[in-house]
Amino acid sequence: MPGNWQATPMVIDGDNRDWPSPYPNYDAQSMVAYATSNDARNLYITMETGDEMTQVKILKRGLTVSIDTTGKKSPQFSINYPLANENEPLDMVKNDGQKTSLAKKQSEQKLNSLVQEANQFSLEGFTECSGGFMVHQVIPCGIKVKARIDEYKELVWEAVIPIKLIYGKDSLSATDAGKPISVCFAVNGFRAASTKGAGDNSGTMTNAAGMAGNNSRMRSPGTSSPNKNDPNQHLYNHTKTWKQFGLAYQR
């Protein structure tokens, strides 16, 4: 896919009004919309979801956004934000003795509380600034992240990554136009009660390349088959959404 040139630098504040509406890319399996853009000095990434189950997964189990500067699917750099909140259990109740369901929908106040508590993130692969940081901390290497619930009850996630950190030079040039790059949005699922103690969560993995990407599903080893009749199955699904595109460049 062609890249999008960012004529005016993005403000990373969790407000998606700087981005196209609606977002140009959507993965129906992971239920997230996403977009990317770049200028000569920065790569900008955003994701949003209005699906409540997906919001709960991201805020309680974490989100990892990764980059592969070769345009393939071998992440070199990763931002973990929000971090998994192991102390925040999923409120589940038994329903007719067999199925489980959400005790009640998470209120907007609860979701906002979870966003406010998600005040830390970690970086991997960035030579100049790997490790853990606070969201409101000014990092010398220039990476910024922010997430919030907006007035439309959409969870909006934004990040800016300086080109220097991923390409080793201060800015892009005309020779970089169209150079392939990949961004991955990985959402962790909850561990199903039937597989508790038997490894990581059960579920599916989704691969998408843009709005019309090819989606494929693969079952994680050592986990039980997804229960198609469980209305909460999406909570247990671990998804990966890939966007592969070319860098944009304008003088």
Side-chain angles (χ1 to χ4, degrees), residues 129-188:
C129 56
S130 290
F133 304 91
M134 302 297 292
V135 171
H136 299 295
Q137 180 179 352
V138 176
I139 304 175
C141 68
I143 292 178
K144 296 179 182 178
V145 296
K146 182 66 176 180
R148 77 179 184 99
I149 302 289
D150 68 11
E151 60 270 32
Y152 304 106
K153 299 184 180 180
E154 295 273 347
L155 174 60
V156 179
W157 187 102
E158 289 186 301
V160 58
I161 300 138
I163 290 296
K164 182 179 181 179
L165 297 182
I166 56 178
Y167 288 106
K169 56 183 180 180
D170 290 333
S171 63
L172 300 176
S173 64
T175 59
D176 295 307
K179 182 177 292 185
I181 183 173
S182 300
V183 173
C184 176
F185 302 87
V187 180
N188 297 321

Side-chain angles (χ1 to χ4, degrees), residues 75-86:
Q76 303 156 302
F77 311 96
S78 296
I79 299 174
N80 302 299
Y81 172 68
L83 299 176
N85 187 348
E86 302 295 345

Side-chain angles (χ1 to χ4, degrees), residues 25-44:
N25 312 116
Y26 180 72
D27 181 357
Q29 297 293 333
S30 62
M31 298 187 186
V32 300
Y34 52 99
T36 58
S37 64
N38 70 272
D39 54 29
R41 292 184 174 273
N42 296 293
L43 172 66
Y44 304 95

Side-chain angles (χ1 to χ4, degrees), residues 109-127:
Q109 181 179 1
K110 177 61 174 177
L111 289 172
N112 278 313
S113 176
L114 289 173
V115 171
Q116 293 172 8
E117 292 170 5
N119 56 10
Q120 300 179 56
F121 67 100
S122 67
L123 303 174
E124 300 176 29
F126 299 97
T127 303

